[in-house]
Amino acid sequence: MSTNIITTQDGTRIFYKDWGTGQPVVFSHGWPLNADVWDDQMFLVASNSYRGVAHDRRGHGRSSQTWNGNDMDTYADDLAAVMDELDLKDVVLVGHSTGGGEVARYIGRHGTSRVAKAVLVGAVPPLMLKTPTNPGGLPIEAFDQIRAGLVADRSQYYKDLSSPFYGANRPGAKVSQGLRDAFWLWSMQVGFKGAYDCVKAFSETDFTEDLKKIDIPTLIIHGDADQIVPIGDSAQLSSKLVKNATLKVYPGAPHGLTSTHKDHFNADLLAFLKS
């Protein structure tokens, strides 16, 4: 049995990586990936006297493929279970995409007693779905198409998704086949039910009240060419809801900017950790 497993109250086994020593930097990944997507940043922080921790969300990667609990409240509680089990303090929380929602909901449910700073990257808050009070959101049909793609041929769906995710479909894009293959590999490790349910979790959860509870220095990073989580209804709104948030817009950057704009992002992350 791996020692890098914690068991939650409902018996779910959550896999995590724990690299280096120092102030903890805890990473939450996007859908439909796992902790491996953060390896570049985990190596970065652990090589710079920080402790990197990244877990596989329930249903994803090496964690249990649970039938139930694939919702944002439970994801946030699983993150809390990891931080409590490892007794992490003075944490910098970093969340990409769905993971950004997980970070916001964690703070909304568990507060900031263990948290010093937060970073939201290409994050889904405040709300992705178009509603009467969120007219700039995406229509439900967009998320129904994702679910239909999973049901029809999830392997091909993930191969196709890697293109807009990393902006490979844009003129002049330099996205390696290796990166797209890695995206497919990580995506194929998520359980079918977890992947399907998570679409609702990341698209229909309203994080407005969670964002208002964030009372720590927060860096919000987003690409203005993000085809997955459009910046206008996400980062630009979140930066107004989070007190004293710093918004950094990466011109031309896609959703997967932690890979495509790795040098830029890593420099900004390290500077924020040291600030």
Side-chain angles (χ1 to χ4, degrees):
M1 182 183 294
S2 169
T3 54
N4 283 30
I5 295 281
I6 71 117
T7 303
T8 67
Q9 286 187 329
D10 70 353
T12 302
R13 290 160 55 83
I14 302 292
F15 170 87
Y16 67 92
K17 301 182 179 191
D18 188 354
W19 297 357
T21 56
Q23 182 183 12
V25 185
V26 177
F27 296 92
S28 289
H29 64 78
W31 178 92
L33 308 172
N34 60 50
D36 293 353
V37 75
W38 286 118
D39 275 5
D40 288 327
Q41 286 74 35
M42 287 276 287
F43 183 76
L44 173 82
V45 301
S47 300
N48 282 275
S49 301
Y50 294 91
R51 178 182 180 183
V53 175
H55 69 292
D56 291 351
R57 185 170 298 117
R58 70 167 56 211
H60 299 62
R62 291 138 293 200
S63 292
S64 298
Q65 294 189 5
T66 55
W67 187 257
N68 297 316
N70 304 304
D71 59 80
M72 205 53 72
D73 284 355
T74 310
Y75 296 156
D77 292 349
D78 290 346
L79 173 58
V82 172
M83 288 170 58
D84 290 349
E85 178 79 15
L86 300 178
D87 195 23
L88 303 180
K89 299 185 175 84
D90 198 31
V91 170
V92 181
L93 286 176
V94 183
H96 175 252
S97 193
T98 300
E102 185 176 278
V103 166
R105 182 51 54 93
Y106 169 88
I107 292 173
R109 285 172 72 80
H110 299 276
T112 52
S113 63
R114 290 188 178 273
V115 187
K117 300 176 184 175
V119 184
L120 305 178
V121 191
V124 297
L127 173 62
M128 286 196 74
L129 183 68
K130 181 177 182 176
T131 66
T133 55
N134 189 47
L138 297 169
I140 189 69
E141 289 78 14
F143 305 107
D144 288 341
Q145 286 176 358
I146 297 174
R147 285 180 278 259
L150 294 178
V151 171
D153 184 344
R154 65 189 177 120
S155 179
Q156 189 60 49
Y157 179 80
Y158 293 140
K159 287 200 171 194
D160 294 342
L161 180 61
S162 69
S163 178
F165 193 97
Y166 293 115
N169 56 351
R170 291 291 168 91
K174 293 182 174 65
V175 180
S176 73
Q177 188 62 46
L179 180 59
R180 294 185 63 180
D181 289 348
F183 179 92
W184 173 84
L185 176 66
W186 297 325
S187 300
M188 289 302 292
Q189 294 174 50
V190 62
F192 192 96
K193 182 67 157 57
Y196 191 93
D197 287 358
C198 191
V199 177
K200 180 180 179 72
F202 73 64
S203 64
E204 297 182 35
T205 304
D206 188 340
F207 299 98
T208 301
E209 296 307 313
D210 303 299
L211 294 172
K212 291 177 181 176
K213 292 179 181 175
I214 298 178
D215 57 359
I216 51 175
T218 302
L219 176 61
I220 298 175
I221 294 175
H222 217 103
D224 66 6
D226 192 322
Q227 301 168 66
I228 308 297
V229 181
I231 188 173
D233 201 52
S234 55
Q236 288 175 347
L237 297 180
S238 292
S239 63
K240 294 170 183 168
L241 291 167
V242 178
K243 301 179 199 69
N244 303 318
T246 300
L247 173 62
K248 288 200 170 189
V249 178
Y250 286 19
H255 191 55
L257 64 80
T258 58
S259 296
T260 61
H261 291 60
K262 177 169 61 179
D263 293 345
H264 186 181
F265 174 70
N266 286 0
D268 282 344
L269 177 61
L270 264 189
F272 184 65
L273 292 177
K274 293 173 180 176
S275 67

